[in-house]
Amino acid sequence: MKKNLLLTMTFALVAFQMAVAQNVVRYDLYVRDTVVNFSGKQKKAIAVNGQIPMPTLTFTEGDIAEIHVHNELKVGTSLHWHGLHLPNKEDGVPYMTQMPIAPKTSHIYRFPITQHGTHWYHSHSGLQEQIGMYGMMILKKKKDDVTFRKGIDDLLQIPVILSEWTDYNPMNVTRMLHNASDWFAIKKGSTQSYSEAIKAGHFKTKFNNEWKRMLAMDVSDIYYNKFLINGKSEPQVVTPLENLDKSTFKAGDKIRLRIANGGASSYFWLTYAAGKITVVANDGNDVVPVEVDRLIIGTSETYDVVVTIPEDGKAFEFLATPEDRSGSASLFLGHGTKQLAEKLPSLKYFEGMKMMNGMMDMNGNMNDMGMQMSLQKMDMNAVMYPELSKKAAMKMEGMKMDDHKMPEMKMDHKNMNHKDMDDMPMNDTKMDTMKMDGMKMAEKDMNKKMDMSSDSHKSHGDQSTSKKGMVTLNYGMLQSPTVTTLPEGAPLREIRFELTGNMNRYVWSMDNKVLSESDKILIKKGENVRITLYNNSMMRHPMHLHGHDFRVLNGKGAYAPLKNVIDIMPMETDTIEFHGNADGDWFFHCHILYHMMSGMNRVFSYENSQPNELVPDKEWAYKKLQKESNMLYLSAENDFATNGNDGKIALENARWSLGTEWRLGYNNKDGYETETHLGRYIGKNQWFMPFIGFDWRHRKLDVGETETNVFGQSSNKDSRAVFSVGANYTLPWLVTAQAEVYQDGKFRMQLFREDIAITPRVRMAFMVNTDKEYMGGLKYILTKNSALSTHYDSDMGWGLGINLNY
């Protein structure tokens, strides 16, 4: 008995000593409303411990992180630890791994630090990330770690977090996106109106673009007032993470920049005035060093790069330029005369539009050529980059993509039967190699047909080579310094997602379903999961998996790089894989905040997981999560004109639309008319919307006056209150065709279009129907909510006025 007691006490003592030996690193984070001024205007934001970005949190692998979050906001909040491997209940996703941290309460996140690298953290509540809730996390290696790299891990280190700022309320931003407002394009100078097309010699390009029912070409949805590095918009001279004196920078010094893209939606091109950039890590994982001239960092990605100070007495600019090139942010390394990096010129949007015209068919589908493109190796946007030579920019003008399909990947079926394929373990490099052989063959064929420059593939397979031999990073260059293969013999689960979207209504989805239309995806512990992602949209999507690193199958076999975000360009197909070794529910989503909030996300759920006491009612919580990415958005417009009052109001989400429009005269002769429709959008492109409606109108007719429609049916505009069934369909040139049958047997067909971009600010509209009614109008956009207008209405005549919209 005494012996057992002694053993118990001994084990307890050892356990206590082990617990005490672990270093607990505590941070207290106070989340408060604040006011900032980045653009000359005071705007509301959220600060943590009084600062934007949030404090940089530093840990060493093996520490225990204990983070106390004190919510002093009037709404709930949360914090997600991006890229970290941790217990599911610590992941920080409201309504999935925890409930929101309620106002005036505190919450403790506690988890072990089991990895190293550059990471970041941010709010996962609503749109709080956009207005200040983002910050760096630096996880250091132990110096005795076998992976410690001398000359890299012991360099001076500078944390760099990129972001952007908009003076608009983020909820207003997302509402404007859903309502197809063109204000952001006006602010950025990217409207691509007909007058601009004619001036650029691209009238046919513009007409063909709209004939295929596409909106103007763009690479970024939002106009930002400022772009920030470490929360500052002005160029800054920085010091290392260790707060050493500035004089430590001297010629020959190598500096490690730990870079995180904490922007809500922006991609950034990174260039350095002193020359080459050496990439040494990505998404917190080491990679074999690779030297490039520039790289693009996707939303939520992290890169560790090493740069060199070449001369004393000079400060060299490290420049971050958003993908749409509407601004920049920079920092300077070294001291003395400032040496500026070359600015990236404005994009050639009409060249991009012409390229997209050739890729898209009349049904809104991408052509087959994209199915074998992958890993950022072929940047289809390169045709818009003025800094690249014409050859290197892929001569795609006038090409018919149907005639240039990519060759299919060929497998050696002679030496491999179907059973071999089924039984092949996930970590077998043959599958990876065969996949990449097919990609390389496709890429070679594509380059030949696009007349690429002869030196465009000399450096690591990169196609973006300028006249100076510029080398741009792509995922095919990344290689892990250690083996990353998954466990042999584990069951294989294969999943395929098509990334889909509708720019006209700003609905982003996977397999044409938003989160509210999908169930959780069940996976089993111990199985290997392989995911193939095909981007069938015209926008990039940085897809992020919570709580896991995945292998990117890029031809490096057993040394495939590990990431937690993969940027998938338009028309690309990429394959990732991970081992299912966790518990609970994990988010998988596009990290462009406004895409995620519009439905482009899924939830992976491990079967037979332990209950999460932080989410007592999982079914109810999941419905709340689904609702958050399929919100209703209100739009309203009213034209106060000399000949009457016209207006409309609508409430819409991803599928449903409830709208009313009206025309009110100023006298009894003109009368009034209103139409209300409740409809559901159908199809991937949502060109078809059946609806039910109600038509209510009154217009005083003269004695003996009658009106008939083109079918000979008499009008009863003097007193009309009828229900209807009908449908809208979007025709080429973005004209809406509407057919409607009323309960009294009358039938009407109507053609109309609004917001035809004549110039960047002048817009045209028209309507004609079988009731012999017609309308034509122009408006000049003054601000995001107002315009001067004039129109002619067949019932009410000419009118001038002011148009207000919300």
Side-chain angles (χ1 to χ4, degrees):
M1 185 72 176
K2 290 183 178 180
K3 185 177 181 180
N4 290 338
L5 180 61
L6 182 61
L7 285 173
T8 301
M9 293 177 63
T10 302
F11 284 129
L13 181 61
V14 171
F16 175 76
Q17 289 176 335
M18 291 177 64
V20 171
Q22 285 187 294
N23 184 36
V24 177
V25 179
R26 172 172 172 164
Y27 286 95
D28 283 85
L29 303 178
Y30 295 87
V31 186
R32 302 184 178 109
D33 288 315
T34 190
V35 175
V36 297
N37 188 338
F38 289 112
S39 63
K41 299 179 181 179
Q42 290 193 330
K43 295 293 179 179
K44 293 181 179 179
I46 299 175
V48 173
N49 293 4
Q51 67 181 72
I52 297 175
M54 298 189 288
T56 296
L57 308 183
T58 304
F59 302 93
T60 300
E61 191 170 1
D63 287 346
I64 298 293
E66 185 175 288
I67 304 167
H68 296 243
V69 180
H70 310 281
N71 182 13
E72 299 183 5
L73 303 174
K74 296 178 181 178
V75 296
T77 192
S78 63
L79 285 177
H80 165 61
W81 320 100
H82 183 102
L84 267 64
H85 308 158
L86 34 60
N88 183 247
K89 67 185 183 67
E90 308 297 339
D91 194 46
V93 181
Y95 302 113
M96 189 165 74
T97 65
Q98 67 174 83
M99 299 305 292
I101 305 172
K104 313 306 177 185
T105 67
S106 298
H107 179 81
I108 300 173
Y109 294 97
R110 184 182 174 92
F111 49 87
I113 303 298
T114 62
Q115 61 202 110
H116 54 258
T118 300
H119 299 276
W120 67 296
Y121 67 112
H122 58 86
S123 171
H124 228 296
S125 295
L127 301 167
Q128 293 176 351
E129 177 191 331
Q130 177 75 90
I131 54 175
M133 289 194 69
Y134 56 89
M136 294 284 291
M137 290 189 78
I138 306 297
L139 310 184
K140 296 182 178 180
K141 291 181 182 178
K142 293 180 179 179
K143 291 189 176 181
D144 59 355
D145 194 305
V146 293
T147 65
F148 193 86
R149 299 176 293 178
K150 290 185 177 180
I152 295 178
D153 293 322
D154 52 359
L155 293 177
L156 298 178
Q157 300 177 30
I158 296 175
V160 177
I161 189 161
L162 309 172
S163 62
E164 73 276 278
W165 176 260
T166 172
D167 281 344
Y168 301 120
N169 184 307
M171 280 302 298
N172 197 23
V173 169
T174 191
R175 188 187 56 76
M176 291 169 67
L177 293 171
H178 281 272
N179 295 333
S181 169
D182 212 18
W183 182 246
F184 293 142
I186 292 172
K187 295 289 288 183
K188 292 194 297 181
S190 61
T191 51
Q192 298 149 60
S193 64
Y194 274 99
S195 65
E196 293 168 293
I198 293 170
K199 184 178 180 180
H202 277 283
F203 174 80
K204 183 179 178 181
T205 299
K206 175 67 174 177
F207 186 88
N208 288 341
N209 178 255
E210 295 195 338
W211 182 254
K212 290 192 174 184
R213 295 175 280 199
M214 289 189 286
L215 297 179
M217 180 74 183
D218 204 352
V219 297
S220 179
D221 304 323
I222 302 165
Y223 167 76
Y224 286 105
N225 297 85
K226 293 291 181 179
F227 296 94
L228 313 176
I229 288 185
N230 295 335
K232 297 180 180 179
S233 59
E234 65 276 4
Q236 53 193 292
V237 177
V238 295
T239 57
L241 186 64
E242 291 80 5
N243 294 320
L244 300 177
D245 186 77
K246 295 179 183 179
S247 62
T248 56
F249 290 126
K250 59 184 183 299
D253 277 352
K254 294 182 181 298
I255 302 167
R256 180 175 180 171
L257 304 179
R258 291 182 174 268
I259 308 167
N261 184 350
S265 69
S266 298
Y267 283 66
F268 291 93
W269 282 105
L270 304 180
T271 52
Y272 181 45
K276 299 291 185 180
I277 297 170
T278 302
V279 178
V280 298
N282 175 224
D283 288 351
N285 295 290
D286 292 343
V287 298
V288 175
V290 56
E291 190 174 73
V292 298
D293 293 288
R294 67 179 186 176
L295 64 94
I296 191 168
I297 181 170
T299 308
S300 82
E301 282 190 300
T302 73
Y303 277 100
D304 289 31
V305 303
V306 175
V307 295
T308 303
I309 305 292
E311 301 178 54
D312 289 325
K314 294 183 179 180
F316 297 88
E317 185 179 31
F318 189 82
L319 180 66
T321 307
E323 189 183 14
D324 65 5
R325 305 180 179 195
S326 57
S328 65
S330 63
L331 55 82
F332 286 87
L333 303 172
H335 298 278
T337 305
K338 290 184 177 180
Q339 306 296 306
L340 300 180
E342 185 175 352
K343 302 296 183 183
L344 295 181
S346 299
L347 296 174
K348 299 185 293 184
Y349 278 111
F350 286 111
E351 279 77 2
M353 181 185 290
K354 189 170 185 177
M355 173 194 69
M356 294 308 299
N357 288 348
M359 292 181 181
M360 189 76 75
D361 63 25
M362 287 299 296
N363 294 319
N365 294 314
M366 296 291 211
N367 287 301
D368 293 344
M369 62 171 292
M371 296 300 289
Q372 294 291 353
M373 293 165 49
S374 68
L375 306 169
Q376 304 177 322
K377 286 188 175 184
M378 300 181 67
D379 186 353
M380 309 307 282
N381 288 335
V383 297
M384 296 189 289
Y385 302 159
E387 70 273 16
L388 300 184
S389 66
K390 290 184 179 179
K391 289 184 179 180
M394 298 188 301
K395 290 184 177 179
M396 301 185 66
E397 295 185 1
M399 288 183 61
K400 293 182 179 180
M401 296 302 170
D402 292 339
D403 298 331
H404 298 275
K405 293 183 178 181
M406 306 290 275
E408 295 180 2
M409 182 182 74
K410 298 185 182 297
M411 296 185 180
D412 187 1
H413 292 284
K414 181 177 180 180
N415 298 316
M416 179 180 292
N417 58 35
H418 293 293
K419 186 178 187 303
D420 293 329
M421 290 294 295
D422 293 339
D423 294 341
M424 180 177 287
M426 287 285 286
N427 62 355
D428 196 314
T429 60
K430 291 183 180 179
M431 175 66 83
D432 195 0
T433 303
M434 286 190 301
K435 178 179 184 293
M436 294 313 301
D437 285 345
M439 297 293 187
K440 290 175 182 176
M441 180 175 62
E443 186 180 355
K444 183 178 179 180
D445 182 74
M446 195 65 166
N447 295 337
K448 183 179 179 180
K449 290 172 180 175
M450 292 181 180
D451 190 22
M452 302 282 284
S453 61
S454 59
D455 64 342
S456 65
H457 281 264
K458 291 180 180 178
S459 301
H460 307 285
D462 176 64
Q463 61 87 24
S464 297
T465 304
S466 73
K467 298 173 183 178
K468 299 179 182 179
M470 181 185 297
V471 178
T472 302
L473 182 74
N474 63 56
Y475 289 154
M477 303 179 194
L478 299 180
Q479 177 176 319
S480 171
T482 59
V483 173
T484 63
T485 51
L486 304 183
E488 293 187 24
L492 169 60
R493 173 75 179 281
E494 294 196 75
I495 302 172
R496 185 185 187 276
F497 291 117
E498 181 179 342
L499 306 182
T500 43
N502 182 334
M503 281 296 293
N504 298 45
R505 300 193 60 249
Y506 210 77
V507 175
W508 297 102
S509 54
M510 299 169 71
D511 297 330
N512 197 31
K513 293 182 179 179
V514 296
L515 184 66
S516 63
E517 299 168 324
S518 63
D519 296 325
K520 296 179 181 179
I521 300 171
L522 297 179
I523 58 176
K524 296 179 180 179
K525 298 177 187 177
E527 69 181 3
N528 292 328
V529 181
R530 176 176 289 159
I531 304 174
T532 299
L533 297 155
Y534 169 54
N535 184 1
N536 193 23
S537 77
M538 292 192 295
M539 298 293 288
R540 305 177 83 129
H541 299 292
M543 301 302 295
H544 170 51
L545 176 61
H546 284 215
H548 302 70
D549 280 331
F550 48 72
R551 302 177 78 238
V552 178
L553 301 188
N554 69 341
K556 304 300 184 184
Y559 296 88
L562 294 175
K563 290 176 59 59
N564 58 67
V565 177
I566 184 163
D567 169 37
I568 307 180
M569 298 178 65
M571 299 183 64
E572 279 196 347
T573 300
D574 289 307
T575 303
I576 62 177
E577 61 184 24
F578 66 92
H579 181 58
N581 59 356
D583 202 67
D585 293 345
W586 302 93
F587 223 6
F588 181 53
H589 63 92
C590 177
H591 219 289
I592 293 177
L593 183 60
Y594 301 98
H595 292 188
M596 181 189 76
M597 295 296 288
S598 299
M600 187 173 273
N601 37 54
R602 289 293 186 271
V603 174
F604 288 115
S605 182
Y606 281 89
E607 295 182 1
N608 303 316
S609 293
Q610 295 297 316
N612 182 351
E613 67 276 10
L614 299 181
V615 187
D617 189 340
K618 291 183 65 174
E619 290 187 11
W620 172 85
Y622 187 58
K623 290 179 181 178
K624 289 282 292 185
L625 184 72
Q626 290 176 308
K627 184 178 180 181
E628 188 177 57
S629 63
N630 190 23
M631 292 186 290
L632 289 167
Y633 294 95
L634 177 69
S635 65
E637 183 176 354
N638 202 87
D639 201 54
F640 297 92
T642 56
N643 64 340
N645 182 285
D646 295 357
K648 59 184 179 180
I649 187 168
L651 194 62
E652 298 183 308
N653 65 9
R655 305 296 177 199
W656 292 95
S657 173
L658 174 62
T660 295
E661 60 180 83
W662 63 86
R663 288 163 291 280
L664 307 177
Y666 294 141
N667 54 62
N668 194 41
K669 168 68 175 175
D670 293 333
Y672 60 83
E673 56 185 81
T674 69
E675 296 180 54
T676 300
H677 293 155
L678 172 63
R680 177 175 172 82
Y681 289 95
I682 294 176
K684 182 178 67 175
N685 296 294
Q686 299 191 340
W687 290 331
F688 181 58
M689 186 189 77
F691 62 80
I692 57 174
F694 181 73
D695 189 17
W696 183 30
R697 62 180 66 192
H698 167 73
R699 179 169 177 260
K700 185 177 180 180
L701 300 179
D702 294 333
V703 177
E705 181 183 2
T706 60
E707 291 185 2
T708 59
N709 62 24
V710 297
F711 306 110
Q713 296 174 312
S714 62
S715 169
N716 56 350
K717 289 183 180 180
D718 56 332
S719 180
R720 182 174 178 83
V722 290
F723 290 97
S724 66
V725 176
N728 286 358
Y729 185 76
T730 302
L731 298 172
W733 206 55
L734 297 169
V735 173
T736 299
Q738 184 182 95
E740 199 166 4
V741 178
Y742 300 93
Q743 71 182 63
D744 58 5
K746 290 184 172 57
F747 178 74
R748 185 182 73 179
M749 292 189 65
Q750 185 164 277
L751 298 177
F752 62 91
R753 184 180 169 187
E754 300 175 343
D755 208 39
I756 304 171
I758 305 302
T759 75
R761 288 181 181 262
V762 175
R763 304 305 165 91
M764 184 176 78
F766 73 87
M767 182 278 294
V768 60
N769 65 32
T770 56
D771 285 344
K772 301 179 184 178
E773 298 171 328
Y774 53 91
M775 183 278 297
L778 292 171
K779 66 179 179 181
Y780 181 85
I781 298 173
L782 297 173
T783 70
K784 73 180 179 71
N785 297 122
S786 66
L788 296 177
S789 65
T790 180
H791 73 277
Y792 180 81
D793 184 285
S794 56
D795 283 339
M796 298 183 180
W798 282 104
L800 296 172
I802 185 166
N803 179 285
L804 301 180
N805 68 82
Y806 172 76

